[in-house]
Amino acid sequence: MKKISQLLFSFKTTLFLLAILAIGAGVATFIENDFGTSTARVLVYNNIWYEAALVLTTINLIGIIIKFKMWKNPARFIFHLSFVVILLGAGATRYIGYEGIMHIREGFTENKMMSLEPYLQIKIKQENASFYKEYQKEFAAAILRKGMGDEASIGIVELLSEYQNRFEHDIKFNDKTLNVKYVNYLVSKKGKAEMGILTVDLTLNGQTKTVRLPGKRGQPGIPKIEDFGDTIVTLEYGSKTLELPFSITLRDFQLDRYPGSMAPSSYASEVTVNKNDNKQYDYRIFMNRTLHEGNFLFFQSSYDQDEKGTILSVNNDPGKWPTYLGYFLLTLGLIWNLFDKKSRFWKMTKYVSTRNAAAAFITAIILGLSPNSLQAEEQNNHGIDFEKTKNDMTAYLENFQKASKETAEKFSKIVVQSNGGRMKPLNSLNHEIVSKLTGKSSMFGMNSDQIVLGMLTRPEVWRNVKMLKIKTPKLKKVLGIEQSRKYLAFGEVFDKDGKYILTKEAQNASMAKPNERGTFEREIIKLDEKLNISYLVYNGNLFRMFPQQNANDNNRWYNPLEAMNTFTGDNQVAIESLIRGFINSVISENWELSNKFIDMIIQYQTKVGADIMPPQSQIDNEIMFNKLSIFPKLTVAYMLLGLIMLIVAFIVVFNPKIKPKKTTFVFFILLAILFALHTFGMGFRWIISGHAPWSDTYESLLYISWSAVFAAVIFFRKSLLALSAGVIVAGIFMFTAHLTSIDPQITNLVPVLKSYWLTIHVSVLTASYGFFGLGAILGFMSLIMFIFRKGRPHLDENIKYITAINEIALIIGLSAITIGNFLGGVWANESWGRYWGWDPKETWAYVSIVVYVLVLHLRFVKIFNNQFVFSVASLLAFATILMTYFGVNFYLSGMHSYATGDPVPIPMWVYYVTATVFVTIALAYKNKDLTIK
């Protein structure tokens, strides 16, 4: 017994079980991709071997908690115990709860649903009696059917032991016995008979008949009737009808399509719930809005082709609250662990902090988890008395407008890196920001560079400046401002306690379907976006202007806060001095000193970011392009000229005495000049952007306008009507481009999402990828050091140092991905009625969690407790993240996937990188002996 407990509660067993869980789930995603969800559930997720692994993992975890008396360390105890609670909740959901599908036609009432799981139902009828027998069985596949072009080839693949597949039952009735024996189970191609085809042998009165029973998820089985003379046997394999304790009436099914398309944009069911106590209520079910009635959850799944009926997925979940409790304990424990000074995390940070240039890294992590000074300032500057500060603010703006021109011009030449990696002068970003906020390129007699310079350096003043464009009277009324106002100040949307006044309205507007949003809702969304952009400007988060010295981060540049919190050593000191010196000099209006700091920032960029720093000529060209503002001016010119040409053309048409030859030639020359300017602008944009100027919506509108004028000037130059028509078309398209203010850099920074749960889930989960990427890079770096460590003892200390940082990064990454993943489960359950559907993206996120848990627990097994193993593991583990992020999107189908049809070929660089990684590991192996302490 002692040996069994030692084996069961050992870390070797932990690692073995984790490996089984990860490999099994990963393989299941490929099974699901080829053979459907039902097959993956049958073979893996709902199979006894996988469930046994989960149960053993739970037992192993409980034993380790007891063995190591984890309750003495509350943080560690809570987050380890949370997994036990989550698994117990999942067990309740799995074995007590059930899922099904309810189909209702408009005007009809339904109180039954079809089970999601398959049942084998057998009815026996004799002359004087009837018998009924039912079996629920998830049949493991013994044969896989693979599609090959238009033909199907059948290959026998023994996936599991035969005893898992076989069953045999004797059904006794009167003086007879019917023997039912399993023969095989065929898995059909995905999308066809999803439950597969079950084949059984029936033996009665010495006669045996083989019966094939096709099944389909969510539908009753096709009855198969076998006649044994005096006995009739009816078999069905498929979903079973289940009765609910209440009924639902479908009053109306609503489906909206995208304009000009048959593709649905949304669909909803207007239902009435009829309870047994004669009480009823109405409810609207649509995506992200689930009906809760008792333990039952109903969410919109599909609809009938004639759009007169709805299909609702149903989930009865008694494990919800235990699962939610586990999620809460998990989040609490993981966050607490990062601040617990007895934790492994703090042990590693303490070790790292004793090394040179390491303190800044740890400080960056802590600061990343704590409110920074600028954000704290944001929370303490609401509730400004606008009337009291009006005179001071006016004086400041007048003085700033006159004195800041030279500094703002120099400020505009600082290079920033966009989220997409494009290097551009700050002037471009400033123009985009001000245009988005105000609808203008300048305001208060100041250009965009001056305005952004002020917002960045004096946010406490500029948050009270009325510069956010607002139109809707209803919104003005909600905010309590006069109807004559055209602009709003940032601080006016917060009350005296710093709370956002429009929280409820913004949420309602975001949740509304696009075609249901009125002027008020659209204005709310626009204002919400402007406020977010303003906030990012005040905190400096938009300005990625600082490259990191000797960084292995693919030439990523950092915003001021990131730079101060991330950079290390002298680099960090220099950056902090530049940032604080520049801001303080602008605040004190020491413009000469401000100019010097800007020069030093540009010098720093030129030196440290030389690899991707654009040449000065390109910077000057882009600033010139922005100042010329060719396309907005062309829009006005096209509109005016087109209107004049159209009037003149009609005058000429209606007055044949007028000879239009000279008039047409004059208009042709004017239009040719505008066309030349348009062509120059397109070419200039091509040079600046580095790509053809028709790669996005804005550029395509410019190009359509250009082509319209091109056609008019080249082919229809002798027709005044044709010329006027061409220029009017150009004007309309140009006007549309600038009316919509299309600018991916700004509008994509703060996307408005319908579900706040989704926002939290994605932001937290994907934040972990950076930490895991850092871990992979650090692992690779340490392996390079292993290759050359013989005879170089100083490399050993560097390896230990890098490995410690690596472990810190992985702990943070694992905490983030775990919390983010389970928050996604809460969102999915609240939105769709289930927290886990084994979608490939979900599954690979789960695989990533399990793999990184395994990596961080390798040190508990003596043979794996060394820097080499940890470095290799952290490097290879990143493959699960790559699979989650790229592989699922392009190679596996699912609701998170972009894959359609045949997957795209794997790029050659993937093979090169993979080969490089394994060659490096092989070369480092000979010098692997270095032990973690």
Side-chain angles (χ1 to χ4, degrees):
M1 189 68 184
K2 185 177 180 181
K3 290 184 178 180
I4 294 176
S5 64
Q6 286 178 345
L7 176 64
L8 189 58
F9 303 142
S10 71
F11 280 107
K12 289 182 180 179
T13 302
T14 303
L15 300 182
F16 176 73
L17 291 172
L18 289 174
I20 289 177
L21 293 176
I23 294 171
V27 170
T29 61
F30 292 95
I31 294 174
E32 178 180 0
N33 187 68
D34 291 338
F35 305 106
T37 303
S38 291
T39 306
R41 289 176 182 270
V42 165
L43 296 180
V44 182
Y45 304 134
N46 293 347
N47 200 284
I48 188 171
W49 72 268
Y50 200 79
E51 292 177 345
L54 285 169
V55 171
L56 289 174
T57 302
T58 305
I59 295 172
N60 173 266
L61 181 56
I62 294 172
I64 288 176
I65 289 174
I66 297 172
K67 182 177 180 180
F68 290 92
K69 300 179 180 179
M70 285 189 185
W71 51 84
K72 292 183 178 180
N73 188 314
R76 187 185 309 167
F77 173 68
I78 287 173
F79 78 75
H80 280 89
L81 179 65
S82 70
F83 287 103
V84 177
V85 177
I86 290 171
L87 288 171
L88 290 175
T93 300
R94 169 76 176 90
Y95 293 105
I96 304 176
Y98 51 91
E99 295 177 276
I101 296 174
M102 175 179 277
H103 177 218
I104 319 176
R105 297 285 292 177
E106 279 187 356
F108 287 81
T109 300
E110 185 61 73
N111 69 336
K112 296 178 181 179
M113 70 177 190
M114 301 303 299
S115 69
L116 202 63
E117 303 300 340
Y119 287 78
L120 173 60
Q121 301 174 76
I122 303 173
K123 296 179 181 179
I124 304 172
K125 185 175 182 180
Q126 282 187 307
E127 293 180 0
N128 300 320
S130 294
F131 301 89
Y132 172 77
K133 190 73 175 177
E134 173 187 285
Y135 303 98
Q136 182 179 2
K137 178 76 175 177
E138 295 180 59
F139 300 99
I143 301 177
L144 293 182
R145 175 170 295 177
K146 300 182 179 180
M148 300 181 65
D150 294 328
E151 300 179 358
S153 65
I154 299 178
I156 298 178
V157 182
E158 295 297 332
L159 295 174
L160 297 171
S161 301
E162 270 301 305
Y163 77 89
Q164 292 230 17
N165 295 327
R166 295 185 182 278
F167 70 87
E168 186 173 357
H169 297 284
D170 287 334
I171 302 174
K172 295 183 179 181
F173 57 100
N174 293 339
D175 57 346
K176 297 180 180 294
T177 299
L178 173 68
N179 179 266
V180 184
K181 183 178 181 181
Y182 168 87
V183 177
N184 65 26
Y185 182 80
L186 294 179
V187 179
S188 298
K189 291 195 299 181
K190 186 178 178 182
K192 295 184 179 180
E194 271 196 5
M195 282 184 179
I197 301 174
L198 172 66
T199 303
V200 297
D201 279 346
L202 298 180
T203 302
L204 181 64
N205 299 330
Q207 182 181 5
T208 299
K209 294 187 177 184
T210 300
V211 184
R212 289 166 54 89
L213 301 168
K216 196 166 186 178
R217 183 174 294 276
Q219 295 183 14
I222 301 173
K224 294 283 187 173
I225 301 174
E226 298 297 332
D227 190 348
F228 288 88
D230 61 343
T231 304
I232 303 296
V233 179
T234 305
L235 298 93
E236 291 184 23
Y237 171 60
S239 295
K240 173 189 173 185
T241 302
L242 302 174
E243 189 168 330
L244 301 175
F246 52 89
S247 64
I248 296 177
T249 302
L250 177 63
R251 302 194 317 276
D252 184 34
F253 178 77
Q254 302 167 356
L255 184 143
D256 296 316
R257 301 184 186 278
Y258 290 108
S261 169
M262 292 299 292
S265 62
S266 64
Y267 40 90
S269 300
E270 295 282 355
V271 301
T272 298
V273 179
N274 311 294
K275 304 176 75 171
N276 289 337
D277 54 4
N278 294 324
K279 293 182 180 179
Q280 59 180 214
Y281 62 90
D282 295 336
Y283 199 84
R284 179 181 175 85
I285 307 173
F286 56 89
M287 300 303 291
N288 290 328
R289 191 164 191 257
T290 304
L291 168 63
H292 295 247
E293 177 56 42
N295 282 334
F296 291 91
L297 296 93
F298 296 79
F299 61 98
Q300 190 68 56
S301 176
S302 186
Y303 55 90
D304 292 343
Q305 292 300 309
D306 63 359
E307 302 173 22
K308 296 295 183 181
T310 187
I311 298 175
L312 303 174
S313 293
V314 189
N315 186 13
N316 183 292
D317 182 17
K320 174 181 176 179
W321 292 114
T323 302
Y324 279 12
L325 173 62
Y327 290 171
F328 171 75
L329 293 175
L330 173 73
T331 304
L332 175 64
L334 287 174
I335 294 176
W336 190 350
N337 182 64
L338 296 177
F339 293 93
D340 182 7
K341 294 185 178 180
K342 295 181 181 179
S343 68
R344 175 72 177 180
F345 175 79
W346 273 89
K347 180 181 178 181
M348 290 293 98
T349 57
K350 185 177 180 181
Y351 169 78
V352 171
S353 64
T354 60
R355 299 297 186 268
N356 293 333
F361 179 83
I362 304 305
T363 302
I365 295 174
I366 301 303
L367 287 177
L369 297 172
S370 307
N372 57 63
S373 58
L374 289 180
Q375 290 171 327
E377 180 185 89
E378 167 63 26
Q379 298 299 324
N380 296 323
N381 282 280
H382 297 298
I384 300 295
D385 187 340
F386 291 96
E387 295 301 323
K388 183 178 179 181
T389 60
K390 184 176 180 180
N391 293 332
D392 292 340
M393 191 167 61
T394 301
Y396 162 80
L397 291 176
E398 290 177 353
N399 181 66
F400 188 82
Q401 183 266 332
K402 297 175 183 177
S404 65
K405 288 183 179 179
E406 181 182 351
T407 299
E409 184 175 357
K410 293 181 71 69
F411 176 68
S412 71
K413 296 181 179 180
I414 294 175
V415 174
V416 292
Q417 186 182 67
S418 72
N419 285 346
R422 191 174 87 84
M423 311 305 295
K424 59 185 179 183
L426 193 51
N427 174 264
S428 294
L429 181 58
N430 294 342
H431 180 79
E432 294 163 1
I433 291 170
V434 173
S435 177
K436 190 71 178 179
L437 298 181
T438 70
K440 299 180 178 181
S441 58
S442 61
M443 205 172 188
F444 314 116
M446 290 180 274
N447 59 35
S448 59
D449 299 323
Q450 290 176 285
I451 293 173
V452 174
L453 176 62
M455 293 177 68
L456 178 63
T457 56
R458 295 293 300 274
E460 76 284 357
V461 174
W462 282 85
R463 64 166 49 97
N464 303 321
V465 176
K466 299 177 180 66
M467 58 183 294
L468 305 180
K469 195 169 185 179
I470 182 172
K471 298 178 181 179
T472 311
K474 184 178 178 180
L475 181 55
K476 294 177 183 178
K477 185 177 180 180
V478 171
L479 292 170
I481 64 175
E482 55 271 26
Q483 292 294 319
S484 59
R485 286 267 297 275
K486 295 182 179 180
Y487 295 93
L488 183 74
F490 180 90
E492 288 183 284
V493 295
F494 298 93
D495 62 21
K496 62 181 180 179
D497 297 322
K499 294 182 179 179
Y500 184 31
I501 297 173
L502 301 174
T503 299
K504 183 178 179 180
E505 288 80 2
Q507 288 179 350
N508 291 338
S510 297
M511 290 176 64
K513 293 185 293 185
N515 65 329
E516 292 180 345
R517 292 173 184 163
T519 304
F520 174 70
E521 286 77 16
R522 290 194 295 270
E523 183 82 356
I524 284 281
I525 292 173
K526 288 180 181 179
L527 178 60
D528 197 54
E529 186 180 25
K530 291 174 184 177
L531 293 170
N532 280 311
I533 293 170
S534 300
Y535 184 80
L536 294 175
V537 174
Y538 295 143
N539 283 345
N541 290 344
L542 289 180
F543 309 104
R544 291 170 54 178
M545 59 176 67
F546 294 105
Q548 186 175 8
Q549 195 167 16
N550 301 323
N552 248 342
D553 56 359
N554 196 30
N555 291 315
R556 183 184 186 275
W557 286 25
Y558 298 78
N559 67 49
L561 283 175
E562 285 179 329
M564 288 192 292
N565 295 337
T566 304
F567 292 2
T568 58
D570 295 338
N571 198 22
Q572 191 268 346
V573 174
I575 290 299
E576 186 169 357
S577 298
L578 285 176
I579 295 169
R580 298 193 183 281
F582 170 65
I583 292 176
N584 290 334
S585 64
V586 174
I587 292 174
S588 63
E589 299 184 358
N590 187 341
W591 304 111
E592 184 177 353
L593 184 59
S594 299
N595 294 340
K596 290 182 179 179
F597 275 112
I598 292 174
D599 289 336
M600 286 189 284
I601 291 173
I602 293 175
Q603 288 175 8
Y604 174 86
Q605 291 183 330
T606 304
K607 180 180 179 181
V608 180
D611 291 343
I612 56 174
M613 183 75 172
Q616 189 61 44
S617 60
Q618 184 175 335
I619 297 171
D620 293 337
N621 284 339
E622 186 160 349
I623 293 175
M624 181 186 297
F625 179 81
N626 294 333
K627 288 182 177 179
L628 288 174
S629 192
I630 296 172
F631 298 118
K633 293 175 182 176
L634 277 174
T635 302
V636 176
Y638 280 143
M639 296 294 287
L640 290 175
L641 183 61
L643 180 61
I644 294 171
M645 289 177 68
L646 185 63
I647 293 173
V648 172
F650 274 104
I651 290 174
V652 170
V653 168
F654 287 101
N655 193 344
K657 294 182 180 180
I658 299 175
K659 301 298 181 182
K661 187 174 182 180
K662 292 183 179 180
T663 305
T664 303
F665 181 75
V666 171
F667 281 122
F668 166 74
I669 295 298
L670 292 175
L671 188 55
I673 292 172
L674 294 181
F675 176 70
L677 292 173
H678 197 153
T679 305
F680 169 79
M682 297 286 283
F684 207 167
R685 188 179 180 94
W686 192 331
I687 292 171
I688 291 168
S689 64
H691 60 75
W694 46 77
S695 62
D696 57 37
T697 305
Y698 177 77
E699 291 178 346
S700 66
L701 290 170
L702 298 181
Y703 183 69
I704 292 171
S705 301
W706 179 88
S707 62
V709 180
F710 173 80
V713 170
I714 301 301
F715 299 105
F716 310 116
R717 59 184 180 274
K718 294 183 179 181
S719 170
L720 187 57
L721 274 175
L723 285 173
S724 63
V727 74
I728 286 173
V729 170
I732 291 173
F733 279 99
M734 293 285 281
F735 178 76
T736 303
H738 294 92
L739 178 67
T740 53
S741 300
I742 298 168
D743 189 342
Q745 289 294 330
I746 298 297
T747 55
N748 288 344
L749 286 173
V750 189
V752 180
L753 299 176
K754 293 182 179 180
S755 172
Y756 63 91
W757 276 114
L758 178 61
T759 307
I760 298 170
H761 158 60
V762 172
S763 61
V764 174
L765 190 145
T766 55
S768 67
Y769 295 171
F771 290 99
F772 292 139
L774 173 63
I777 294 172
L778 291 175
F780 186 77
M781 290 173 61
S782 65
L783 290 175
I784 297 296
M785 293 184 189
F786 268 105
I787 295 175
F788 301 103
R789 65 178 285 259
K790 286 296 183 181
R792 300 176 178 86
H794 65 282
L795 289 181
D796 291 353
E797 285 302 312
N798 287 327
I799 291 172
K800 292 178 182 178
Y801 168 66
I802 287 178
T803 304
I805 296 176
N806 192 349
E807 188 171 351
I808 292 169
L810 295 194
I811 291 173
I812 297 174
L814 180 60
S815 300
I817 194 174
T818 304
I819 293 172
N821 207 43
F822 285 107
L823 285 175
V826 175
W827 163 64
N829 193 48
E830 293 301 316
S831 298
W832 301 325
R834 62 169 70 173
Y835 12 64
W836 199 262
W838 294 108
D839 177 81
K841 192 83 165 182
E842 297 172 351
T843 304
W844 273 98
Y846 156 70
V847 170
S848 299
I849 292 172
V850 174
V851 167
Y852 276 101
V853 167
L854 193 152
V855 171
L856 287 171
H857 287 77
L858 285 173
R859 61 189 176 87
F860 291 104
V861 178
K862 186 175 181 180
I863 192 174
F864 298 138
N865 186 29
N866 59 76
Q867 276 86 357
F868 175 79
V869 170
F870 188 85
S871 298
V872 171
S874 65
L875 178 58
L876 297 181
F878 194 64
T880 62
I881 299 298
L882 294 176
M883 183 64 194
T884 304
Y885 194 71
F886 294 108
V888 171
N889 287 349
F890 297 105
Y891 296 97
L892 296 178
S893 60
M895 69 178 181
H896 293 86
S897 174
Y898 310 136
T900 55
D902 295 330
V904 297
I906 298 176
M908 285 302 300
W909 64 265
V910 173
Y911 297 105
Y912 295 145
V913 170
T914 303
T916 301
V917 165
F918 282 100
V919 168
T920 303
I921 293 172
L923 293 175
Y925 179 79
K926 61 181 179 180
N927 299 327
K928 64 182 178 62
D929 297 325
L930 192 62
T931 304
I932 294 177
K933 294 183 180 179

